Amino acid sequence: MEELTPSNPQHPLAGERARQPIPGAGIDLDPARRPGVPRLHAPRPLPNAHGPPTRQESQVTVFMHGRPHKDFPPVFGTAVPPSGLSGLLRRAAYRYPDHWMRHWTVLLFADRVDAWEHRLRRSLPVVLPALLVIGAGAAWKALSRRAAWAG
Amino acid sequence: MRATSYEGPYRIAVKDKPDPRIEHPQDAILRVTCAGICGSDLHLLHGRVPDTRIGSTFGHEIVGVVEEVGPEVTAVSRGDRLVVPFNISCGACYFCSRGLTACCENTNPSSDVACGVYGYSHTTGGYDGGQAEYVRVPFADVDPMKLPDGLSDLQAVPLADAYPTGYQGAEMCGLEGGETVVVFGAGPVGLYAMRSAWLLGAGRVIAVDKVGYRLDFARRWAGAEAIDFEDADVITAIKDLTDGRGADATIEAVGCEAAGSPMQRAIGVYVKGVAGSATALNWCFHATKKGGTVSVLGVFGPPMALVDFGTAMNKCQTIRTGQCSVKRYLPQLLEHVQAGRMPVEELITHRYPLEEASRAYHTFAQKEDGCVKAVLLPGTGTVH
Ligand SMILES: [Zn+2]
Ligand SMILES: [Zn+2]
């Protein structure tokens, strides 16, 4: 089993283990045991990293936000390509860099449009036949009324 | 394959989708064995994150087995069990090489505010997530960690996000021993932050939430004192417990859908006029002593929220924030898990087969049935 005493003898909990419900309390008190300290360390690539990465090839439409002087990153996701009206809105939003408010507000609006488009597409198999039946009914009524008048 | 599919705000389904393929020579394809549902997935589900497209696959807490590797992958091979950090990082750019893998420059065309993240909208690069049978893993021999024998999927999946994020929150408090730390939010990340605060030398940990069973969990599991903010004026209660000055440090583990202020909820959550409710963050400024530290883990999307910055400024506070650069934390946090100091799996109260993703999301979001954390187990028919 592990050592329960704090690593630092100056720690106020040192020797007070009985009061302390969490095993290992104080064990990472020493900044040298803290993985995120310092936040930026001297540059060294991660093990097995071999950058700069090869450029990914893709036929899928992937937008880059419109920051000037920025290269397209070599690796990206290809999930859910843009489509429909929401796709056009997104294309417009990505013309602007991400420090422009309108980049984000147009994207959020496109999300709402995307949801409406999806709802519309889902309801078409029900709504379309229903509209056809209603339309055919109205046309038949109009025709029969005209026939009665003519007669 | 079967995969989760975002169907618009508050709706998630499981659908047939094409299998992922190797798209870059450093990719691998993973067969997912366990995928966590994270609190931040709820922000996506609720339509709060810009450019969340209908049909997206969610999931950024991934454990799986390597099925196939690209030609430039050398360190992992078919059959290896991996835990995958939520950040997609090249390992060699300016930020990756300095330790900030959460800020990789090579994986997100869509924005400069974040690097690539699995299944987290096109704002983080448009990658498919891991709540699916298979997932594409870029930089497969850089980012993931091979799992040692004997470490279960349930012990591994919190290492992808929730546990390192919580640990980083406590680490950013800069504790020197004996401080009082208040944690807003007793969800999974908050609970990991509380227990990590003890490991990092806190003298006292106070949890704030409104969900009774989660406050009980914080008391029992994380050795915290608990305050229900619906029972008391939370800032007064914290000041009363800390000689009237406030805590030495506070951790915000709530994010953009915080309860507690009808005005913030109305403007930020219901009208969606700003990027969410910043109530917990504002409480942090008031609950922290002058000169103290506020450590922010909760997710806030662009463009902006109603933040009480004047209070932080006038109280001479240090604000520390950041997506967790998971990779650098993995060896040490694995050590804590293996030594029994951090029984991470005890938070996973609910397990579901992939097909029941909608029910899993609902139970987690509505905080039903004592749910603390839920995971999906693709490849499993029924789970008890
Ligand atoms: Zn997360
Ligand atoms: Zn990088």
Side-chain angles (χ1 to χ4, degrees):
Chain A
M1 200 48 207
E2 52 127 8
E3 173 215 16
L4 297 179
T5 340
S7 54
N8 178 354
Q10 301 302 310
H11 186 256
L13 297 169
E16 283 192 57
R17 152 187 345 184
R19 211 193 64 188
Q20 184 42 252
I22 300 302
I27 196 167
D28 290 347
L29 190 58
D30 180 358
R33 276 206 34 105
R34 298 182 178 179
V37 178
R39 177 165 259 192
L40 289 168
H41 56 61
R44 55 168 188 274
L46 265 61
N48 307 313
H50 35 93
T54 319
R55 193 152 281 283
Q56 180 180 336
E57 303 291 333
S58 173
Q59 308 304 316
V60 175
T61 306
V62 177
F63 299 130
M64 190 180 88
H65 75 111
R67 200 190 81 188
H69 322 302
K70 184 182 160 124
D71 289 335
F72 204 97
V75 175
F76 47 84
T78 53
V80 203
S83 69
L85 181 59
S86 57
L88 290 174
L89 285 166
R90 283 168 178 146
R91 182 181 295 278
Y94 278 104
R95 281 212 297 269
Y96 304 108
D98 68 354
H99 56 271
W100 283 34
M101 181 77 173
R102 71 183 67 159
H103 169 81
W104 300 108
T105 47
V106 176
L107 280 181
L108 281 165
F109 179 60
D111 288 353
R112 303 290 91 84
V113 173
D114 195 2
W116 297 330
E117 286 180 301
H118 178 66
R119 225 170 287 165
L120 194 67
R121 268 196 305 274
R122 272 163 47 112
S123 59
L124 275 184
V126 182
V127 171
L128 213 59
L131 282 177
L132 280 175
V133 168
I134 292 168
W140 186 78
K141 220 181 222 174
L143 278 176
S144 56
R145 200 178 302 145
R146 192 180 298 169
W149 184 78
Chain B
M1 66 162 182
R2 302 289 285 167
T4 53
S5 179
Y6 171 65
E7 300 289 288
Y10 303 95
R11 297 166 62 94
I12 192 152
V14 178
K15 290 193 160 174
D16 286 320
K17 290 186 181 176
D19 286 345
R21 16 171 226 99
I22 304 280
E23 297 186 54
H24 182 269
Q26 285 182 265
D27 285 356
I29 303 299
L30 231 62
R31 177 169 55 79
V32 181
T33 54
C34 183
I37 298 178
C38 177
S40 59
D41 287 331
L42 299 180
H43 306 322
L44 279 178
L45 181 66
H46 298 165
R48 302 216 56 87
V49 182
D51 208 356
T52 305
R53 299 184 189 168
I54 304 291
S56 302
T57 304
F58 291 170
H60 56 265
E61 299 183 334
I62 306 166
V63 172
V65 178
V66 178
E67 191 75 15
E68 189 188 344
V69 295
E72 287 181 19
V73 175
T74 52
V76 300
S77 47
R78 193 183 152 88
D80 286 343
R81 277 177 74 224
L82 307 178
V83 58
V84 187
F86 74 89
N87 335 93
I88 301 173
S89 325
C90 75
C93 70
Y94 179 93
F95 290 114
C96 284
S97 62
R98 285 165 174 79
L100 281 189
T101 54
C103 301
C104 179
E105 297 181 307
N106 281 330
T107 57
N108 184 10
S110 312
S111 167
D112 281 346
V113 302
C115 76
V117 175
Y118 293 94
Y120 210 79
S121 86
H122 277 65
T123 292
T124 63
Y127 293 89
D128 277 318
Q131 289 165 7
E133 288 183 294
Y134 296 93
V135 65
R136 170 196 168 205
V137 175
F139 300 105
D141 50 3
V142 179
D143 298 339
M145 180 179 71
K146 282 190 208 178
L147 293 177
D149 290 338
L151 198 81
S152 72
D153 282 6
L154 296 185
Q155 287 175 303
V157 79
L159 287 164
D161 173 9
Y163 171 31
T165 297
Y167 183 93
Q168 184 200 244
E171 190 191 52
M172 288 192 302
C173 292
L175 303 179
E176 293 175 358
E179 289 96 333
T180 297
V181 178
V182 173
V183 181
F184 286 90
V189 169
L191 290 163
Y192 289 132
M194 291 170 207
R195 218 167 146 129
S196 299
W198 286 115
L199 300 190
L200 287 150
R204 186 177 187 188
V205 176
I206 299 169
V208 179
D209 206 299
K210 65 166 182 171
V211 181
Y213 75 82
R214 288 189 169 186
L215 287 172
D216 288 341
F217 205 98
R219 270 190 210 99
R220 204 172 61 241
W221 190 80
E225 295 156 64
I227 298 175
D228 183 335
F229 68 78
E230 289 193 328
D231 286 353
D233 179 77
V234 62
I235 305 301
T236 304
I238 290 168
K239 286 185 175 171
D240 284 349
L241 288 170
T242 52
D243 298 330
R245 298 198 181 92
D248 299 299
T250 55
I251 299 172
E252 201 277 2
V254 179
C256 62
E257 292 181 90
S261 157
M263 193 269 287
Q264 288 267 1
R265 293 286 293 179
I267 299 173
V269 177
Y270 301 120
V271 180
K272 295 189 167 84
V274 296
S277 154
T279 307
L281 180 57
N282 291 339
W283 281 351
C284 283
F285 300 144
H286 285 284
T288 307
K289 75 176 184 189
K290 290 164 184 159
T293 300
V294 176
S295 167
V296 187
L297 303 177
V299 171
F300 292 86
M304 61 189 181
L306 299 173
V307 175
D308 180 2
F309 198 75
T311 297
M313 184 272 161
N314 283 299
K315 290 179 79 175
C316 311
Q317 290 167 344
T318 300
I319 302 172
R320 300 203 60 193
T321 69
Q323 295 278 9
C324 184
S325 294
V326 170
K327 179 70 181 178
R328 70 196 290 180
Y329 288 88
L330 286 176
Q332 173 130 346
L333 300 198
L334 175 68
E335 180 199 313
H336 287 323
V337 172
Q338 289 183 313
R341 292 187 280 267
M342 190 60 82
V344 283
E345 71 286 1
E346 290 175 7
L347 260 58
I348 301 172
T349 49
H350 288 66
R351 295 171 292 153
Y352 295 91
L354 180 62
E355 294 298 323
E356 288 182 36
S358 178
R359 192 159 73 91
Y361 266 91
H362 181 85
T363 307
F364 180 54
Q366 299 306 316
K367 301 179 180 68
E368 287 172 357
D369 193 27
C371 185
V372 178
K373 189 167 180 67
V375 298
L376 301 173
L377 304 172
T380 315
T382 49
V383 180
H384 301 286

